[in-house]
Amino acid sequence: IVGFILTISGINSNSAISMILGLMWIFAPLAMYVMSKKIRNKRKISDESKSYLLSVGKKTWLFFKENMVNYLPSDNYQEDRKEKAVKRTSSTNIGLEILSTIASYDMKFESEEDTLNLLDNIINTVQDLPKWNGHLYNWYDIETLKPIPPYDISSVDSGNFIGYLYTAKGFLKQLEKSDTVKIKELIIKIDSIIKETDFGKLYDEETGLFSIGFNTEENKLYDSYYDLLAS
């Protein structure tokens, strides 16, 4: 109905925008119907495309593997700088390093033993990092393992990181059939990090919303909040 009204209004007022919007509204249900249908003849990835995608995956993994310091990843790497890899990282970066380590095993770039050893070293380093109520700070120096000012806590970065830990835990549970002592110990360590990360400290009871983060130097939540859905 809205589509017809907009289209007729556009014709009467000679407005191309109203006509286009109206026609889009009219045909939207048809487009949604077609897009939602099951694909019967799924396209297969060619061998050439598979080879290319695997090479991109391998390069992505090697970025993390070759730029670790104290088992933590560099935030970024730039070819035209003297020091190509920067010596800082964030909680999101560490989480992505964990996911990439898992993917390296899934894509058969690394053995199960090497993957577990690396995950163990990453988690051990994370356990040793200075924290605030269990939360990782926004930035760390990967050589000294000390937080970099400003000593802020980001709700979204902490959320990302804990989400990645749940993914790692799920991955390890799939490997539990190998009955390694290391796997069980890793799950216990990950559970401990998750439980110690207190998101209540980032929640504002008055608004019923999460703040975007906590300023540890001023000892207060930031006066900006995620909306209800994000919270």
Side-chain angles (χ1 to χ4, degrees), residues 200-214:
K201 302 290 185 186
L202 300 172
Y203 188 74
D204 184 273
E205 295 288 348
E206 275 188 44
T207 60
L209 300 172
F210 275 102
S211 165
I212 62 168
F214 192 90

Side-chain angles (χ1 to χ4, degrees), residues 98-113:
I98 290 170
L99 291 192
S100 195
T101 301
I102 292 168
S104 75
Y105 170 78
D106 288 338
M107 299 179 80
K108 298 180 173 58
F109 300 149
E110 303 290 339
S111 68
E112 180 178 316
E113 183 182 2

Side-chain angles (χ1 to χ4, degrees), residues 68-85:
M68 287 183 195
V69 177
N70 289 316
Y71 299 104
L72 296 181
S74 168
D75 178 66
N76 64 79
Y77 177 100
Q78 293 183 35
E79 289 282 355
D80 58 354
R81 286 191 308 218
K82 185 178 178 183
E83 291 289 335
K84 291 182 169 47

Side-chain angles (χ1 to χ4, degrees), residues 29-229:
L30 179 62
M32 294 300 104
Y33 169 73
V34 172
M35 289 168 64
S36 301
K37 288 179 73 175
K38 287 184 178 179
I39 300 171
R40 290 182 181 176
N41 300 317
K42 292 182 179 178
R43 291 189 300 170
K44 291 184 179 178
I45 300 174
S46 68
D47 290 338
E48 186 181 358
S49 293
K50 274 184 186 177
S51 177
Y52 169 71
L53 290 170
L54 280 170
S55 71
V56 172
K58 186 70 176 285
K59 286 178 182 176
T60 304
W61 164 236
L62 289 177
F63 165 78
F64 287 100
K65 187 177 181 180
E66 293 174 356
N67 290 291
M68 287 183 195
V69 177
N70 289 316
Y71 299 104
L72 296 181
S74 168
D75 178 66
N76 64 79
Y77 177 100
Q78 293 183 35
E79 289 282 355
D80 58 354
R81 286 191 308 218
K82 185 178 178 183
E83 291 289 335
K84 291 182 169 47
V86 298
K87 303 301 182 185
R88 66 174 182 271
T89 198
S90 68
S91 50
T92 294
N93 289 337
I94 300 169
L96 290 173
E97 174 191 38
I98 290 170
L99 291 192
S100 195
T101 301
I102 292 168
S104 75
Y105 170 78
D106 288 338
M107 299 179 80
K108 298 180 173 58
F109 300 149
E110 303 290 339
S111 68
E112 180 178 316
E113 183 182 2
D114 288 342
T115 300
L116 289 174
N117 283 334
L118 182 53
L119 282 174
D120 191 41
N121 284 319
I122 293 169
I123 295 301
N124 286 339
T125 302
V126 169
Q127 284 188 311
D128 291 338
L129 290 174
K131 301 178 187 69
W132 176 86
N133 288 292
H135 291 274
L136 293 176
Y137 288 93
N138 271 12
W139 294 101
Y140 289 91
D141 184 311
I142 57 179
E143 290 183 327
T144 66
L145 299 182
K146 292 181 179 177
I148 298 172
Y151 305 114
D152 288 349
I153 308 300
S154 165
S155 298
V156 71
D157 281 298
S158 273
N160 286 340
F161 181 67
I162 296 301
Y164 299 146
L165 287 185
Y166 274 110
T167 303
K169 185 178 169 182
F171 166 72
L172 292 168
K173 281 187 171 294
Q174 288 180 336
L175 297 181
E176 267 191 308
K177 60 181 181 291
S178 19
D179 201 29
T180 307
V181 176
K182 185 162 284 191
I183 291 175
K184 290 176 181 175
E185 286 177 357
L186 257 172
I187 291 173
I188 290 169
K189 290 175 187 176
I190 287 171
D191 272 335
S192 174
I193 295 171
I194 291 171
K195 287 173 184 174
E196 288 171 7
T197 308
D198 185 359
F199 279 89
K201 302 290 185 186
L202 300 172
Y203 188 74
D204 184 273
E205 295 288 348
E206 275 188 44
T207 60
L209 300 172
F210 275 102
S211 165
I212 62 168
F214 192 90
N215 185 328
T216 63
E217 292 175 319
E218 296 183 15
N219 197 35
K220 66 176 185 179
L221 290 170
Y222 278 102
D223 195 23
S224 294
Y225 303 90
Y226 292 104
D227 62 23
L228 184 60
L229 179 61

Side-chain angles (χ1 to χ4, degrees), residues 1-4 7 19-35:
I1 292 170
V2 172
F4 278 115
T7 305
M19 288 171 62
I20 292 168
L21 286 173
L23 290 170
M24 285 172 67
W25 272 72
I26 290 169
F27 289 104
L30 179 62
M32 294 300 104
Y33 169 73
V34 172
M35 289 168 64

